[in-house]
Amino acid sequence: MIRHSYKTSESWKALPWKKLRRNLFRLQKRVFKAVQVGDKRKARFLQKLILKSTSARFLAIRQVSQLNAGKKTAGIDGKKSLSFEERFNLEELLRMNSGNWKHQGLREIPIPKKDGTIRMLKIPTIADRAWQCLAKYALEPAHEAIFHARSYGFRTGRSAHDAQRYIYNNLRSFCNGIEKRVIELDIEKCFDRINHSAIMDELIAPKGLKLGIFRCLKAGVNPEFPEQGTPQGGVVSPLLANIALNGIESIHRYHENRSQRITDKTPASDIIEPSIRYADDMAIILRPEDDAREILERISEFLRKRGMNVSQKKTKITAATDGFDFLGWNFKVQSNGKFRSIPSVDNFKAFRKKVKHIVNNSNYGATTKAEKLAPVVRGWRNYHKFCKMDGSKFSLWFLNHRAYTVFNKETKQTRYTSEELVKKAFPTVSYSENKHVMVQGIKSPYDGNTAYWSERNSKLYDGETSIALKKQNHKCASCGLKFIDEEKVHLHHIDENHANWKKNNLEAIHESCHDYRHMSKSAS
């Protein structure tokens, strides 16, 4: 048991984070395997151990207060961050109350949607977020063991690129994509309408954890629909939505041999389920003989039992040759039968708007603009790296030219030329159309195959990071653990000279390990 007489920054940094990660992952692997073999009683016992685990508590607090993107967002208590002493105090609070947690109210933030409507983001306090993260540590491995293989959203080890690749596999010329149609399914106000009982009935959890999740759901209810909705903004909310929707992917299925029917004895390898779900977004691929109306009726019945409805306005059936948008991409089978995916019109417009906002902002100088543009451009290019990106539009020539014109007026007081700043602002990313390697079947990081997952996660990076990862055998140079979770990999300059990009001066480490490296240097 870890206890400290002095609740200081040094004692927080000195916590054995490597050991804590190993302890938690060991328990999560056991939960996953227990559910996989059908022993839910053992799984619930192990989930209790996670809730009582000192390792899990400290990691949950670090995740929500130091690593998550929204770590500086305040709840209704107005608290945006925690001091080191407050982190230790929160750990004690979680230790005493993790099995009987009572949620505070949620802070509501209105977010405008592109259709003109408003979506309410409901933010829990940091303490509630820490409990939800702890709950997620216990719940996620149990449900990962039973989640459908074609569900890709908000799941560790899976991404939108897996969904993109599966669509390619089903619509390319080899699979006669030119003959197929697609149901673009939209669920009406999905997160606001999910029935609480649908979540609670499916939840694999001990009583104390179930009670905490029930209170979490009730903390964010809409008074008009007291039995429905998951609070968008909570750490555990996407997982709860996945739990409620799991199984919708199996509604449309058929035998690989078209002349045979599916029976109870049909091997899973012979069953085709051409549906792709990413959270509440779904695309269902139809053969010429499939009855779209019947499939939609069965989906509507599935959703009705969970308090949701198919959006009649937004759901449509489209020929693959006409093209359709999904997850920010436009997919289309061309007249010659070849498959093509490119950034969707809406996605490109939103990206161009972001770039123009930075370039035209008079509050920044040219150097600052280049620094702010680089991650936006790199992120967009990385997301679309498996698309067809040739042509001046997607090479961003026009945006480059506009940035050059603006920078040319503003570089008199900087040590960089306009050309250097544009090159810095628009970093190149290598493209490999339809080359993403899809995650294997129902594999999960909790299955214990660290070699597969560390190597797979390393492939998400290229350039110097990729070289460093291979050199280090996909292990963190700081803590020595494999890169198997979703924490980002950072490149650390050993001599702290960020202009020195020699291979022997670079090492790949976890984002959190990188933070602690710099913290300890600044403290000394």
Side-chain angles (χ1 to χ4, degrees):
M1 185 175 284
I2 300 167
R3 286 287 168 262
H4 291 267
S5 54
Y6 297 102
K7 299 174 181 178
T8 63
S9 60
E10 287 74 23
S11 55
W12 178 264
K13 289 177 219 166
L15 287 170
W17 295 110
K18 178 179 178 179
K19 183 180 178 183
L20 302 186
R21 281 187 189 201
R22 279 187 171 153
N23 290 345
L24 174 60
F25 187 62
R26 194 181 300 118
L27 283 171
Q28 289 179 314
K29 271 196 303 184
R30 292 175 67 193
V31 171
F32 178 88
K33 287 178 179 176
V35 175
Q36 209 174 33
V37 298
D39 193 347
K40 291 185 180 179
R41 185 178 177 183
K42 182 180 179 181
R44 285 191 284 268
F45 170 75
L46 292 166
Q47 285 174 315
K48 286 181 184 177
L49 293 184
I50 290 176
L51 293 177
K52 293 175 182 176
S53 165
T54 306
S55 299
R57 289 195 298 273
F58 275 120
L59 288 168
I61 293 165
R62 185 177 69 156
Q63 186 68 42
V64 301
S65 65
Q66 291 183 284
L67 300 180
N68 281 354
K71 61 192 174 191
K72 296 290 185 185
T73 310
I76 57 164
D77 59 358
K79 199 171 272 291
K80 289 186 176 181
S81 61
L82 300 179
S83 67
F84 291 102
E85 185 176 358
E86 286 172 328
R87 288 176 201 165
F88 282 111
N89 291 340
L90 178 54
E91 189 273 330
E92 289 178 12
L93 186 67
L94 287 171
R95 178 170 57 87
M96 292 185 289
N97 300 297
S98 62
N100 187 28
W101 190 262
K102 294 178 181 176
H103 274 71
Q104 296 182 59
L106 307 178
R107 176 177 164 231
E108 296 189 352
I109 303 174
I111 306 290
K113 294 171 75 173
K114 63 182 180 183
D115 61 1
T117 59
I118 297 292
R119 174 170 67 92
M120 294 306 295
L121 200 61
K122 298 180 179 182
I123 308 296
T125 63
I126 296 177
D128 285 340
R129 295 205 293 270
W131 182 87
Q132 286 190 28
C133 188
L134 184 61
K136 187 184 173 192
Y137 287 157
L139 289 171
E140 191 169 60
H143 288 276
E144 275 292 324
I146 56 173
F147 275 158
H148 196 279
R150 301 289 165 249
S151 164
Y152 298 109
F154 302 114
R155 289 183 62 190
T156 183
R158 291 166 183 262
S159 69
H161 290 130
D162 293 308
Q164 182 189 34
R165 175 71 193 198
Y166 190 70
I167 290 173
Y168 163 73
N169 287 349
N170 278 270
L171 293 182
R172 56 183 173 166
S173 56
F174 178 75
C175 298
N176 294 321
I178 200 166
E179 299 176 358
K180 294 180 179 178
R181 295 164 295 152
V182 175
I183 298 176
E184 300 175 61
L185 184 72
D186 186 88
I187 303 171
E188 192 174 0
K189 295 184 177 179
C190 174
F191 290 96
D192 295 331
R193 294 290 178 267
I194 295 176
N195 196 301
H196 292 168
S197 61
I199 296 171
M200 300 308 296
D201 290 346
E202 297 297 323
L203 213 57
I204 302 169
K207 284 183 181 177
L209 182 51
K210 270 196 169 185
L211 179 61
I213 292 296
F214 184 73
R215 287 171 177 166
C216 168
L217 292 171
K218 292 304 176 187
V221 295
N222 181 338
E224 294 178 38
F225 303 95
E227 302 299 323
Q228 293 177 296
T230 60
Q232 294 182 59
V235 176
V236 79
S237 298
L239 174 61
L240 298 180
N242 272 339
I243 290 170
L245 289 171
N246 188 47
I248 195 172
E249 306 88 352
S250 297
I251 288 175
H252 175 44
R253 60 210 305 250
Y254 55 84
H255 201 289
E256 189 177 36
N257 185 337
R258 297 191 180 198
S259 63
Q260 294 185 38
R261 286 190 167 192
I262 295 174
T263 66
D264 293 338
K265 295 181 180 178
T266 304
S269 57
D270 292 345
I271 299 173
I272 307 294
E273 296 178 340
S275 302
I276 308 98
R277 183 172 68 83
Y278 192 96
D280 61 331
D281 288 326
M282 196 167 176
I284 302 158
I285 299 169
L286 307 177
R287 303 166 300 171
E289 64 266 34
D290 291 327
D291 187 338
R293 186 177 295 177
E294 182 201 344
I295 293 166
L296 278 171
E297 282 175 3
R298 280 156 49 203
I299 287 172
S300 294
E301 180 59 26
F302 177 95
L303 292 173
R304 261 195 302 274
K305 290 177 181 176
R306 289 155 179 79
M308 295 172 280
N309 296 305
V310 172
S311 171
Q312 301 298 329
K313 186 179 177 182
K314 296 181 182 177
T315 297
K316 48 190 174 182
I317 302 164
T318 312
T321 49
D322 290 336
F324 64 98
D325 289 351
F326 187 61
L327 301 179
W329 295 301
N330 178 264
F331 300 100
K332 187 176 182 179
V333 177
Q334 300 171 112
S335 56
N336 60 3
K338 287 189 176 181
F339 175 86
R340 185 200 72 179
S341 68
I342 59 172
S344 69
V345 171
D346 287 345
N347 180 276
F348 185 67
K349 279 182 180 176
F351 165 70
R352 193 172 57 188
K353 188 177 177 181
K354 277 185 190 176
V355 171
K356 285 184 175 180
H357 176 72
I358 296 171
V359 171
N360 297 331
N361 195 320
S362 57
N363 295 324
Y364 306 138
T367 307
T368 306
K369 287 178 182 179
E371 288 171 353
K372 287 184 174 291
L373 276 171
V376 173
V377 174
R378 187 184 290 106
W380 186 82
R381 282 181 158 163
N382 265 318
Y383 188 73
H384 298 295
K385 69 189 292 185
F386 302 112
C387 290
K388 187 176 179 63
M389 297 293 280
D390 52 1
S392 62
K393 181 179 180 182
F394 298 133
S395 71
L396 310 182
W397 186 90
F398 296 103
L399 291 175
N400 266 271
H401 184 68
R402 170 64 185 162
Y404 175 81
T405 306
V406 173
F407 290 171
N408 206 30
K409 296 175 184 176
E410 299 176 349
T411 51
K412 292 174 183 177
Q413 298 174 346
T414 68
R415 59 193 177 93
Y416 299 104
T417 64
S418 302
E419 290 85 353
E420 287 172 330
L421 285 175
V422 168
K423 192 174 181 181
K424 186 179 180 182
F426 291 85
T428 56
V429 170
S430 58
Y431 296 105
S432 45
E433 188 182 353
N434 300 323
K435 296 296 183 186
H436 175 71
V437 178
M438 200 168 71
V439 65
Q440 289 178 10
I442 57 171
K443 283 194 73 62
S444 166
Y446 300 113
D447 62 16
N449 189 347
T450 54
Y452 170 82
W453 286 104
S454 59
E455 190 172 340
R456 176 175 174 76
N457 289 352
S458 298
K459 287 176 182 174
L460 301 175
Y461 300 90
D462 50 20
E464 288 85 357
T465 309
S466 176
I467 293 167
L469 285 166
K470 286 175 185 173
K471 182 181 169 185
Q472 296 164 203
N473 194 25
H474 315 291
K475 289 181 180 179
C476 175
S478 182
C479 71
L481 292 178
K482 292 265 191 182
F483 294 101
I484 57 171
D485 54 19
E486 293 183 311
E487 191 175 334
K488 290 178 184 175
V489 176
H490 280 200
L491 261 188
H492 176 65
H493 294 74
I494 297 168
D495 66 358
E496 294 190 32
N497 176 12
H498 285 224
N500 181 2
W501 287 84
K502 291 181 180 177
K503 291 177 186 176
N504 61 357
N505 187 49
L506 301 172
E507 57 185 15
I509 60 178
H510 287 105
E511 179 184 11
S512 55
C513 294
H514 200 195
D515 287 345
Y516 286 119
R517 282 272 182 99
H518 286 286
M519 273 184 195
S520 56
K521 288 276 172 64
S522 60
S524 59

